[in-house]
Amino acid sequence: LVESHQGPDGTEYQVNTALQLVVGDEARIDHVKVVTEGNGALHISSLLANIGARATFNQLGFVAGGSLVRNQLFVHIAGEGTVADIRGGSLLAGAQHADTTLAIEHAAENCQSRETFKAVVGDTARAVFQGKITVSPGAQKTDAKMMSRALLLSDEAEADSKPELEIFADDVQCGHGTTTGAIDDELLFYLMARGIPPDEAKALLIQAFIGEIIEGAANESVRAALTEAMLGWLGRRE
């Protein structure tokens, strides 16, 4: 299931979307959402997913447009033996603001979830991530890990992250973390020392950083489209 949200620059408009997914036992769903709205757009969306037993749920969100974007995800894992992989990537410049809110509840035993979110933030843009994993009583053998990373391209860029865990079971493996930093000067020097111009070297490092999110798409055509959107964003910054 692929969602694509696009719009023209130079026009103010608002988008409100809501998607409810009910994933049955032993079903698989790959959901990809791409936001390349115009520079005057306000985009607000909510995803509500209820997942059964022994199911596979892959969700990938990609933001490379819009003035103000807010994505909310509420995931309820109701059946045992389910695997969920949730990823998000944001490419922000100018005065853009992108906010991701994730709440995932493990309500059944022996389930696994991975949440990985990355943001590249330039100029005076701002990225916000707030995520929470809740492990309900009885959801033993839960294996859940959440990570948020941000790459800042200017001194005025901002990234705020707040991962949380709330655990009510005792036989679990859960972890969360967050990192924020600038482009590694040593890696940049390494590329430049091999004859790669500075701007191109920075672009390669940004591609490598956000590439982990893009590779999460199972479909080759989707990966190609996301890569094209990333390269377009990099091209507009040159």
Side-chain angles (χ1 to χ4, degrees), residues 183-205:
I183 289 179
D184 191 311
D185 289 335
E186 292 187 3
L187 293 177
L188 186 62
F189 177 79
Y190 177 87
L191 295 175
M192 293 171 58
R194 279 146 184 81
I196 300 175
D199 289 344
E200 185 177 340
K202 289 181 180 179
L204 288 173
L205 293 175

Side-chain angles (χ1 to χ4, degrees), residues 14-51:
Q14 181 171 334
V15 176
N16 291 283
T17 71
L19 174 63
Q20 183 175 10
L21 297 175
V22 179
V23 184
D25 294 349
E26 301 182 2
R28 174 188 175 116
I29 185 166
D30 295 280
H31 174 235
V32 179
K33 179 185 176 184
V34 184
V35 177
T36 54
E37 302 278 16
N39 56 18
L42 169 62
H43 181 102
I44 301 173
S45 74
S46 297
L47 168 67
L48 297 91
N50 191 80
I51 309 171

Side-chain angles (χ1 to χ4, degrees), residues 84-155:
D85 185 277
I86 303 172
R87 303 184 183 210
S90 298
L91 299 171
L92 308 177
Q96 285 180 282
H97 180 115
D99 182 311
T100 298
T101 297
L102 168 66
I104 178 168
E105 179 182 5
H106 283 265
E109 63 180 17
N110 197 32
C111 293
Q112 174 182 296
S113 72
R114 295 290 184 268
E115 296 79 39
T116 307
F117 289 81
K118 290 191 173 185
V120 178
V121 193
D123 303 322
T124 61
R126 182 182 182 189
V128 177
F129 172 78
Q130 46 190 350
K132 183 176 183 179
I133 298 173
T134 301
V135 181
S136 299
Q140 305 293 353
K141 305 296 183 181
T142 292
D143 181 0
K145 292 180 175 61
M146 175 183 292
M147 176 58 71
S148 171
R149 302 183 187 276
L151 181 64
L152 304 182
L153 303 183
S154 74
D155 293 337

